[in-house]
Amino acid sequence: MSNRRRHPSVAGSEGLTLTAIRDTRTTRPGAASPVADGVRRRDDAALDAPVTEIDGVGPKIALKLERLGVLSIRDLLLHVPHRYRDLSRLEPIGRVRPGQEVTLVGAVAAVRRQRTKSGKPVVVVEIADSSGKILCVFFNQPWLEKQFRIGQSFAVGGRVERWSGRPAIVGPEWEPLVEGSESAHSGGLVPIYPATEGLSQRALRRYAGSAVQSYAHLLGDPLPPGTRSEEGLPSRPDSLRCMHQPASLEAVARARRRLALDELLALQLWSRRKRAAREALLAKSLAAGSQAQARLIDSLPFDLSSAQARCIDEIAADLDRDRPMSRLLQGDVGSGKTAVAAAMIARCVGAGGQVAVLAPTALLAEQHVTTLKRMLGPLGFESFVPEYPMPMKGGPVLARLVGSMRPAEKAAVANAAAAGTIDLVIGTHAVIQEHVRFASLALVIVDEQHRFGVMQRAELPTRGAEASPDSVPHLLIMTATPIPRTLALVLNADVDQSIIDELPPGRTPVKTVWLQPSERQRALAYVRRRVESGGQAYFVYPLIDESDTIDARAATVEHERLASEVFPDLRVGLLHGRMRSAEKDAVMSSFRTGLVDVLVSTTVVEVGVDVPNATVMLIEGAERFGLAQLHQLRGRVGRGTAESVCLLVGDARGANSAERLEAMTRTNDGLELAERDLELRGPGDYFGTLQSGHVERFRFARDARTDVLKLAGRLASEILERDPALLKPEHAPLASLVASFEEGVARA
């Protein structure tokens, strides 16, 4: 259904393009019999039929469903409820407390319409039962005023908070109780679907119910019956039936677990087969560059940590082989990944190969240019000057390539790379444009690769320009995002991993303090003292603009307040995701060079340049962030030798929120925090940030727990050991699932 174009392929003998390509030499797994294949095609055709095949869904309803991403019957089956209203566990309204997630039933006692201070319409509905009253508050939906009649009974659900001094649910899920409807039966679970204007929950339940009854059996099951029996798993059709028509919350959990397993198993099989296909290709051995690597390490003005040395040895061993390396280098912010990358660059160039380094932003690319030029200087690296394309001294040549350069400058870099006169190109997306070619690309290093928005390893460079058409460059991926080991084995089955699990010598850990909102003035006074003593500070907020529906401070509003009221004598900058790239780069450049004392920002600073003089960070609404993100943000300070502090300002009412914030104060170990975050929140955040190209492929895996992650890995190993090509008849449905996953990857 996607209109997104495929990435162009590389062809021709004039050099190598670093354009993302996919390896078309691998064969589609599985080969079903003609009869089975015909049945599968017929079932697929029925499932991919337009949603208008469902009774009651005409063109107008279809347009509304399209807003939810539902175009086909298959889409409708997979549009599962995001929660369930348990009408067997109703809370008396008079007993609810702020912070609770509740389901309530009551009658409308009053309805009124008013406006916020900013002029936005608000509908306030008072719901009552014999024990008390509660407000239901709806922002920017004035038409809802006519939906509520005095005395009518409703079921409402959501998080209780205080609004205008009274218990309230802001933006609740709601539904009128109609005698004879499923909501009127207080003993059952009622599915609550992701919805859109003009589609009621009752209508969505009706359409989904029709789809389940008529089409669920056509979905088939990728797992052989024997595997399902051994593992005690329900079938895929039964699992989807259960999601739409649940018997119990326990049954829903089992169904979701099974559907998550399908997605994770498809990822595992696809990744492992992709890895096997890549390892069958050739790459340039870089063993001849060992002396250059040793000279680089000897020239560094600091000693490597034992973890850095271990990672260098692991990567070098891969680079010495004539098979392409695919390795992930993981390490906290400030752990010294750049020094490891510099050693590998020296090894590659010393062996006669070219290197490409990709960074997600121009500012980060410029930082890499500055840092690597300094580190590689003792080896005689010179900067490429477009006006003088030939090096002056005959040493290795380093070039930058970013989108802001003039067309003539970019063309000069591309021509020199294709001619082999540039040894190292550092840049952004500009490096992966089709017209950029290399004479002998042997190593690609990608920093914070998930920020590129391309399809992970499958869409990163995969070919070199050696004599053999099968030669590809080695691939080193760097990330500062701590990934729990169990999850890493699933997400990164196609790469080996090296972990820098200690800070360089002399680096002082960041001290973290959790403060209640009532202690905010104390925090502001502390920040002022740090800035007045010569440091710089970050203020991080969860929102860009103020919201009527979310009780959280916003960067734009707080920037104005801090600049005019709190720090009128200081230079206060603003950074957020809606700014243009050039604006963001200019603000960060000003902060880095000391022209800004206090930087007010959203989480856009999570991946940014080094500012060693920034010694304090204050994170507002800290309870709204996961541990992994809080740790990433904290990594922006502590980059220099001065003691650094991270202040978490958060009102953690829920047990999980309090546990997360307390964990942040106990440890600076990113991997430990990542493991805890996985336990508390599931892997959803990691799919969202680490797997940008995969996100649409994971409807259920984002909620998977550790046991499902481990099961997916074990089953993948067992299946591929018995049937590496998935050619056995019992694996035909599984092969089809993997092929479908691959097609989705190609469209991403």
Side-chain angles (χ1 to χ4, degrees):
M1 298 308 222
S2 173
N3 291 321
R4 286 172 287 184
R5 66 180 179 84
R6 293 175 182 267
H7 293 284
S9 296
V10 175
S13 59
E14 63 271 35
L16 167 74
T17 171
L18 207 52
T19 302
I21 61 173
R22 295 176 60 245
D23 191 343
T24 57
R25 291 185 295 279
T26 56
T27 58
R28 175 171 169 156
S33 68
V35 173
D37 200 43
V39 170
R40 187 166 65 247
R41 283 200 300 268
R42 187 169 66 248
D43 290 348
D44 285 345
L47 290 168
D48 292 332
V51 74
T52 49
E53 294 291 314
I54 299 294
D55 287 344
V57 179
K60 291 183 179 179
I61 297 296
L63 286 174
K64 294 175 181 177
L65 287 169
E66 187 175 350
R67 294 204 296 264
L68 298 171
V70 175
L71 288 82
S72 68
I73 290 170
R74 190 192 304 271
D75 293 335
L76 185 56
L77 287 171
L78 292 173
H79 186 71
V80 298
H82 62 83
R83 63 181 294 266
Y84 299 86
R85 182 176 299 135
D86 188 354
L87 295 180
S88 67
R89 299 180 181 178
L90 296 175
E91 288 280 351
I93 292 176
R95 295 184 186 174
V96 301
R97 295 291 179 267
Q100 281 184 281
E101 287 283 344
V102 297
T103 295
L104 308 171
V105 168
V108 177
V111 182
R112 67 178 183 273
R113 183 173 165 185
Q114 58 192 66
R115 291 191 176 276
T116 65
K117 293 178 181 178
S118 58
K120 297 178 181 178
V122 185
V123 173
V124 181
V125 181
E126 190 176 79
I127 301 289
D129 66 9
S130 59
S131 68
K133 299 178 180 179
I134 193 168
L135 302 180
C136 294
V137 185
F138 302 90
F139 289 92
N140 299 316
Q141 302 173 75
W143 60 86
L144 290 182
E145 183 180 12
K146 297 180 181 179
Q147 301 292 316
F148 294 91
R149 299 192 306 275
I150 303 296
Q152 186 179 9
S153 294
F154 281 83
V156 297
R159 184 182 180 87
V160 179
E161 51 190 274
R162 298 199 73 81
W163 191 81
S164 295
R166 296 181 57 185
I169 304 177
V170 177
E173 292 163 346
W174 61 278
E175 187 175 3
L177 292 181
V178 180
E179 189 60 39
S181 74
E182 67 273 35
S183 297
H185 300 291
S186 60
L189 291 174
V190 181
I192 306 297
Y193 289 88
T196 187
E197 184 183 343
L199 276 179
S200 69
Q201 289 293 330
R202 289 198 304 279
L204 285 168
R205 289 185 206 118
R206 186 168 66 253
Y207 303 146
S210 295
V212 166
Q213 183 175 353
S214 301
Y215 295 95
H217 67 283
L218 301 179
L219 286 165
D221 199 314
L223 287 183
T227 302
R228 292 203 307 271
S229 177
E230 289 173 10
E231 303 297 336
L233 299 169
S235 71
R236 182 174 176 81
D238 285 347
S239 296
L240 274 167
R241 288 190 189 97
C242 180
M243 295 296 294
H244 291 286
Q245 299 169 342
S248 67
L249 289 175
E250 291 76 16
V252 168
R254 287 194 297 272
R256 185 174 288 278
R257 180 177 183 272
R258 166 60 213 271
L259 296 169
L261 176 64
D262 286 350
E263 294 176 346
L264 293 169
L265 184 57
L267 169 62
Q268 279 278 289
L269 294 171
W270 173 78
S271 296
R272 294 186 189 206
R273 288 173 57 80
K274 180 160 62 70
R275 174 177 180 148
R278 180 176 170 84
E279 288 179 344
L281 303 175
L282 296 174
K284 178 183 178 67
S285 169
L286 304 182
S290 59
Q291 291 185 351
Q293 174 188 308
R295 288 201 306 274
L296 183 282
I297 293 173
D298 289 342
S299 72
L300 293 174
F302 51 83
D303 293 329
L304 295 174
S305 68
S306 60
Q308 284 175 303
R310 169 174 42 78
C311 290
I312 286 174
D313 289 343
E314 292 171 352
I315 299 168
D318 280 357
L319 295 180
D320 288 354
R321 300 170 62 236
D322 61 358
R323 300 294 172 182
M325 175 186 75
S326 291
R327 186 169 284 272
L328 174 68
L329 176 62
Q330 179 182 327
D332 273 347
V333 171
S335 62
K337 294 185 295 298
T338 304
V340 174
M344 298 305 103
I345 291 169
R347 191 178 194 91
C348 180
V349 173
Q354 290 174 297
V355 185
V357 176
L358 277 66
T361 68
L363 197 60
L364 197 53
E366 296 287 1
Q367 177 174 289
H368 280 313
V369 169
T370 302
T371 304
L372 289 172
K373 187 188 300 183
R374 183 176 67 249
M375 286 184 174
L376 296 167
L379 298 187
F381 270 78
E382 306 173 42
S383 295
F384 176 79
V385 181
E387 291 79 7
Y388 304 98
M390 295 304 294
M392 301 300 291
K393 301 177 185 177
V397 179
L398 175 155
R400 61 189 279 271
L401 184 57
V402 296
S404 60
M405 293 168 58
R406 296 194 306 272
E409 292 177 320
K410 288 189 278 191
V413 172
N415 291 336
T421 56
I422 290 179
D423 301 278
L424 169 62
V425 179
I426 303 171
T428 55
H429 298 76
V431 179
I432 59 174
Q433 299 303 307
E434 188 173 8
H435 66 276
V436 181
R437 297 178 179 274
F438 291 78
S440 57
L441 184 67
L443 174 63
V444 175
I445 300 176
V446 183
D447 189 22
E448 294 297 346
Q449 49 121 18
H450 61 276
R451 299 280 165 175
F452 277 85
V454 297
M455 183 47 229
Q456 292 271 0
R457 271 77 70 182
E459 300 297 335
L460 287 171
T462 56
R463 290 180 188 266
E466 305 299 323
S468 168
D470 284 342
S471 182
V472 300
H474 299 283
L475 178 60
L476 177 64
I477 298 161
M478 302 194 299
T479 182
T481 302
I483 312 169
R485 176 172 172 76
T486 303
L487 184 60
L489 292 174
V490 174
L491 291 181
N492 302 308
D494 58 323
V495 297
D496 294 308
Q497 296 181 66
S498 293
I499 301 176
I500 306 178
D501 51 9
E502 62 179 307
L503 290 176
R507 182 66 58 85
T508 304
V510 177
K511 182 180 179 181
T512 304
V513 180
W514 173 23
L515 301 171
Q516 294 294 325
S518 59
E519 300 176 279
R520 186 175 288 111
Q521 291 305 314
R522 173 186 163 201
L524 294 175
Y526 178 80
V527 171
R528 173 174 283 282
R529 290 197 300 273
R530 293 300 295 260
V531 174
E532 288 178 344
S533 65
Q536 291 169 275
Y538 291 97
F539 278 67
V540 181
Y541 295 88
L543 302 176
I544 295 178
D545 296 318
E546 200 169 42
S547 169
D548 287 320
T549 59
I550 300 175
D551 183 19
R553 295 185 175 230
T556 53
V557 175
E558 289 301 300
H559 169 255
E560 184 176 338
R561 186 180 72 86
L562 291 171
S564 61
E565 300 175 19
V566 182
F567 304 124
D569 53 327
L570 301 179
R571 297 163 295 182
V572 182
L574 175 64
L575 182 72
H576 59 73
R578 286 209 300 264
M579 297 167 66
R580 294 193 299 271
S581 295
E583 292 177 307
K584 287 188 284 190
D585 287 350
V587 172
M588 279 305 302
S589 180
S590 295
F591 189 58
R592 181 180 57 178
T593 56
L595 297 177
V596 168
D597 302 306
V598 175
L599 182 61
V600 177
S601 177
T602 57
T603 56
V604 71
V605 297
E606 184 180 345
V607 174
V609 298
D610 291 346
V611 184
N613 197 47
T615 60
V616 62
M617 171 178 281
L618 187 150
I619 303 176
E620 279 278 7
E623 76 280 2
R624 295 180 174 273
F625 301 104
L627 278 171
Q629 193 167 41
L630 286 172
H631 182 67
Q632 285 289 95
L633 291 168
R634 176 171 62 183
R636 290 296 102 216
V637 294
R639 308 307 302 264
T641 56
E643 181 188 54
S644 295
V645 175
C646 179
L647 304 174
L648 306 175
V649 179
D651 183 6
R653 293 173 178 168
N656 279 2
S657 297
E659 192 168 346
R660 287 200 306 276
L661 298 183
E662 287 172 355
M664 285 292 295
T665 66
R666 287 196 304 267
T667 182
N668 282 277
D669 187 326
L671 283 173
E672 180 183 336
L673 291 171
E675 293 286 356
R676 190 68 188 121
D677 211 22
L678 179 63
E679 293 174 15
L680 293 173
R681 291 160 58 96
D685 285 354
Y686 295 95
F687 283 114
T689 59
L690 297 177
Q691 298 282 320
S692 56
H694 278 321
V695 167
E696 67 179 27
R697 310 301 303 162
F698 297 110
R699 299 172 187 262
F700 306 100
R702 297 184 220 189
D703 298 322
R705 296 301 173 184
T706 302
D707 66 318
V708 187
L709 297 170
K710 291 180 177 178
L711 179 58
R714 177 168 64 80
L715 289 179
S717 296
E718 293 173 357
I719 290 167
L720 291 178
E721 185 176 348
R722 295 193 303 265
D723 186 12
L726 300 180
L727 293 175
K728 293 183 178 180
E730 64 265 30
H731 290 151
L734 189 57
S736 181
L737 178 69
V738 176
S740 175
F741 184 91
E742 184 171 14
E743 289 166 4
V745 166
R747 292 196 300 269

